[in-house]
Amino acid sequence: MTVTADRGAAAIDVQQLHKYFGDNEVLKGIDFHIGRGEVVCVIGPSGSGKSTLLRCVNLLEQPTSGTILVEGDEITDPDADVDALRARIGMVFQQFNLFPHMTVLRNLTVAQEKVLKRGRAEATQVARANLEKVGLSDKADAYPAHLSGGQQQRVAIARALSMNPDMMLFDEPTSALDPELVGDVLAVMKDLASEGMTMMVVTHEMGFAREVADKVVFMDGGVIVEEGLPADVLGNPQHERTQAFLSRVL
Amino acid sequence: MTGTAVVPKKRMSPRKRAALVRYVQYALLVLLVVVLALIADWGEIRRAFLDLDIAGAQFPDVIVIALKNTIIYTACGFAFGLALGLVLALMRLSSVGPYRWISTGIIELFRGLPALVVFLVLGLGLSLAFGTQLSNLTTVTLALGLVGGAYMAETIRAGIQAVPKGQYEAARTLGMTHSRAMITIVLPQAFRVILPPLTNELILLTKDSSLVYILGLSLDEYELTAFGRENMNANANLTPMVTIALCYLLITVPLSIVVRRLEAKSGKAR
Ligand SMILES: Nc1ncnc2c1ncn2[C@@H]1O[C@H](COP(=O)(O)OP(=O)(O)OP(=O)(O)O)[C@@H](O)[C@H]1O
Ligand SMILES: [Mg+2]
């Protein structure tokens, strides 16, 4: 990394993040860092707090304590403009969460118009460009219910991209898909990564992590147990818990 | 009985027995109709219920005044009730405690009272208490709206809660504010689910609009029931009631059909 990569230049900087649900401490002091243009994959067993960490980054969950900086802005500051911040961070859910009462095209334009105040023509143009990018130009007028899971997830990615986000968060984007549909979605994500998009990806796709990630983070029990290059974390894990987890999933 | 006893063979299979029960029911029905037909005085019935001269004299007022007023009262009450129900539902789902308590209180109060009591309190009580005379249309709008709104609030709340949380989260993730996400994403989906029960509520309000008579109406304010009663008393004949009954059905039967269509449609969508 170059000398200019000071803290302010980081895309996401999480410091001493704690999150409780009631008495249940789900995140136990997370320090976490993503540089601009980096792809970071978060892996770990179920219930380890991966989704919670991801959702804290765009404040879908309110952190109990700690600091989160996005592009140098402290989003955990009570005065931060959360809506403006969220518009800069794309998010893709396991369950797609497309708006079922709107066509694919409307799914992609509605927030552009209502949040970014773009005109209908511009929003439509941006939407069509992103549909093209995910290979679904012909589905613009379809309703989500008429698409396969893989197509829905690619629309969801295109919807997030239509907001021209600075970074993208993915929460197990392929876990709800039939195995034969996973490849299409991963291909779109690889394209995004090669274009230099900053990405934080919670995933069980170890192949994707190995191939695309700049860094792999292994979480267990609400802490980051191990992080580093994919080859190191996945190929030569140092911690017993990482080894145990990988031996189960690989 | 000891274990050695042979279980007696059933004399009739369950299917045969069900068929027999059905035949008996049909037979009873036919018998009932025949008895009624024999003991009824058909000439008297026709005179009392189906006097065409009396029915003819009701037109066109039964349509241009009574039916029109019933529709206006119901529409105003429903519109106010829907708005009120929406507000109460959003308050019930609010994270602000007092909002929740207030809306729960209002909902329980107006669901728990007979509509007639609400009409009486609003029609007579308000003018006594504040010395202002509300117009009958205002009173009926408020009364039907409060009664209907209390029911609709619970329906709307359930509809909102039936929209998956991920929809709201996806909207917020795209930078929408809470209100924007509710208006553009959550409520349109909620209303699809609750359209059938809301239409049912409209049917109930159509009938409840007859309670307006308690307020004392001028002739051009008569709705169907008041109009029917007036004509029934004037003619000492029940034909006007048959006429207005048909008018009510003119409103409610199409609505029922709409409800059934909507239910079938949403059943298919699932
Ligand atoms: N809204 C919530 N309320 C209460 N507890 C929660 C909530 N969300 C998550 N938890 C708890 O927090 C813990 C971590 O959950 P989280 O969803 O972050 O795990 P995860 O690593 O994403 O697991 P998975 O791989 O199953 O998605 C779990 O024990 C879960 O039960
Ligand atoms: Mg998860």
Side-chain angles (χ1 to χ4, degrees):
Chain A
M1 217 171 254
T2 56
V3 215
T4 53
D6 58 67
R7 297 225 115 179
I12 301 172
D13 198 359
V14 175
Q15 297 161 12
Q16 274 308 302
L17 176 65
H18 291 262
K19 173 66 184 174
Y20 285 81
F21 286 112
D23 292 337
N24 182 13
E25 187 175 20
V26 173
L27 297 178
K28 303 173 181 165
I30 301 277
D31 288 295
F32 180 77
H33 183 88
I34 301 184
R36 282 195 182 144
E38 272 189 334
V39 177
V40 174
C41 285
V42 182
I43 61 171
S46 181
S48 55
K50 309 181 294 293
S51 297
T52 306
L53 172 59
L54 195 77
R55 292 161 58 85
C56 280
V57 170
N58 66 0
L59 297 185
L60 278 184
E61 301 292 354
Q62 192 62 45
T64 309
S65 69
T67 321
I68 301 176
L69 303 173
V70 170
E71 302 272 334
D73 297 335
E74 185 181 340
I75 64 165
T76 35
D77 181 339
D79 295 330
D81 182 349
V82 177
D83 297 317
L85 163 94
R86 288 200 183 112
R88 287 163 45 198
I89 306 178
M91 176 137 179
V92 175
F93 300 84
Q94 183 175 350
Q95 298 299 337
F96 329 135
N97 292 341
L98 294 181
F99 306 134
H101 59 305
M102 296 176 174
T103 63
V104 164
L105 189 67
R106 191 68 189 138
N107 263 276
L108 270 61
T109 56
V110 62
Q112 291 188 66
E113 289 174 25
K114 306 282 185 199
V115 177
L116 301 181
K117 307 294 176 198
R118 287 180 184 157
R120 177 63 61 96
E122 187 193 356
T124 307
Q125 199 186 340
V126 172
R128 291 202 184 274
N130 282 305
L131 278 181
E132 169 104 52
K133 188 178 203 151
V134 300
L136 291 172
S137 303
D138 55 328
K139 298 294 184 193
D141 299 319
Y143 280 87
H146 297 132
L147 303 181
S148 75
Q151 290 171 334
Q152 290 193 47
Q153 193 59 299
R154 284 185 281 153
V155 170
I157 294 173
R159 177 175 70 180
L161 290 176
S162 294
M163 302 296 285
N164 298 99
D166 297 334
M167 65 196 71
M168 292 277 286
L169 311 178
F170 294 84
D171 192 357
E172 302 197 31
T174 57
S175 295
L177 300 178
D178 293 337
E180 72 270 20
L181 300 177
V182 169
D184 292 342
V185 173
L186 291 182
V188 167
M189 292 169 63
K190 274 180 210 165
D191 284 351
L192 262 186
S194 65
E195 287 169 18
M197 175 63 78
T198 306
M199 292 164 64
M200 178 173 175
V201 185
V202 174
T203 187
H204 293 300
E205 296 289 335
M206 296 305 157
F208 177 84
R210 199 187 306 270
E211 193 181 333
V212 180
D214 297 302
K215 184 166 82 173
V216 170
V217 173
F218 172 71
M219 283 183 71
D220 193 9
V223 297
I224 292 181
V225 177
E226 187 164 356
E227 61 182 306
L229 295 171
D232 294 338
V233 177
L234 299 176
N236 183 24
Q238 299 302 305
H239 286 259
E240 209 177 296
R241 280 196 277 177
T242 321
Q243 290 161 3
F245 173 73
L246 288 173
S247 70
R248 262 185 289 129
V249 298
L250 285 179
Chain B
M1 215 176 261
T2 62
T4 56
V6 178
V7 179
K9 202 166 186 293
K10 279 195 189 130
R11 282 179 317 174
M12 222 184 281
S13 75
R15 192 182 304 178
K16 271 193 187 147
R17 183 185 317 211
L20 183 68
V21 169
R22 212 157 45 230
Y23 288 135
V24 170
Q25 285 175 345
Y26 282 131
L28 278 176
L29 200 62
V30 170
L31 192 69
L32 195 69
V33 170
V34 168
V35 168
L36 278 177
L38 287 178
I39 62 172
D41 180 345
W42 287 104
E44 189 53 39
I45 286 177
R46 193 169 305 126
R47 256 191 311 283
F49 286 93
L50 298 170
D51 188 322
L52 290 183
D53 290 338
I54 293 179
Q58 287 182 276
F59 287 88
D61 284 0
V62 67
I63 303 292
V64 299
I65 295 178
L67 180 64
K68 186 195 78 181
N69 280 334
T70 290
I71 291 176
I72 290 177
Y73 296 157
T74 308
C76 289
F78 185 75
F80 175 55
L82 191 61
L84 179 71
L86 183 59
V87 171
L88 289 175
L90 291 173
M91 284 171 71
R92 273 214 69 168
L93 294 171
S94 165
S95 51
V96 183
Y99 281 179
R100 287 199 305 273
W101 308 329
I102 291 171
S103 88
T104 307
I106 294 176
I107 290 170
E108 293 305 334
L109 176 65
F110 286 100
R111 280 205 310 185
L113 293 179
L116 183 59
V117 172
V118 178
F119 271 90
L120 277 172
V121 170
L122 284 178
L124 311 175
L126 278 189
S127 56
L128 284 180
F130 299 105
T132 52
Q133 187 63 51
L134 297 176
S135 79
N136 281 339
L137 180 59
T138 310
T139 311
V140 73
T141 301
L142 288 177
L144 284 182
L146 282 167
V147 172
Y151 279 96
M152 287 190 269
E154 288 297 86
T155 308
I156 296 171
R157 178 183 61 80
I160 291 174
Q161 286 178 324
V163 177
K165 200 161 164 264
Q167 290 290 313
Y168 176 77
E169 290 187 343
R172 295 305 301 267
T173 303
L174 291 165
M176 292 187 196
T177 60
H178 168 78
S179 341
R180 174 50 66 195
M182 291 305 284
I183 292 169
T184 312
I185 305 302
V186 177
L187 289 178
Q189 295 184 56
F191 270 93
R192 287 191 176 192
V193 183
I194 60 180
L195 222 44
L198 285 187
T199 314
N200 272 327
E201 186 59 32
L202 182 56
I203 293 174
L204 293 179
L205 288 187
T206 306
K207 295 185 287 180
D208 277 351
S209 70
S210 62
L211 294 171
V212 72
Y213 80 87
I214 206 83
L215 303 175
L217 299 172
S218 67
L219 277 178
D220 60 353
E221 287 176 329
Y222 275 13
E223 43 68 65
L224 285 170
T225 300
F227 183 88
R229 253 166 50 129
E230 178 81 9
N231 279 278
M232 175 182 75
N233 293 338
N235 295 299
N237 187 288
L238 284 163
T239 308
M241 280 302 172
V242 176
T243 316
I244 68 141
L246 291 175
C247 287
Y248 273 116
L249 295 181
L250 207 63
I251 303 175
T252 54
V253 170
L255 286 175
S256 294
I257 294 172
V258 168
V259 173
R260 231 165 289 143
R261 288 263 167 82
L262 289 171
E263 276 171 349
K265 211 163 120 193
S266 69
K268 234 181 278 164
R270 251 116 244 281

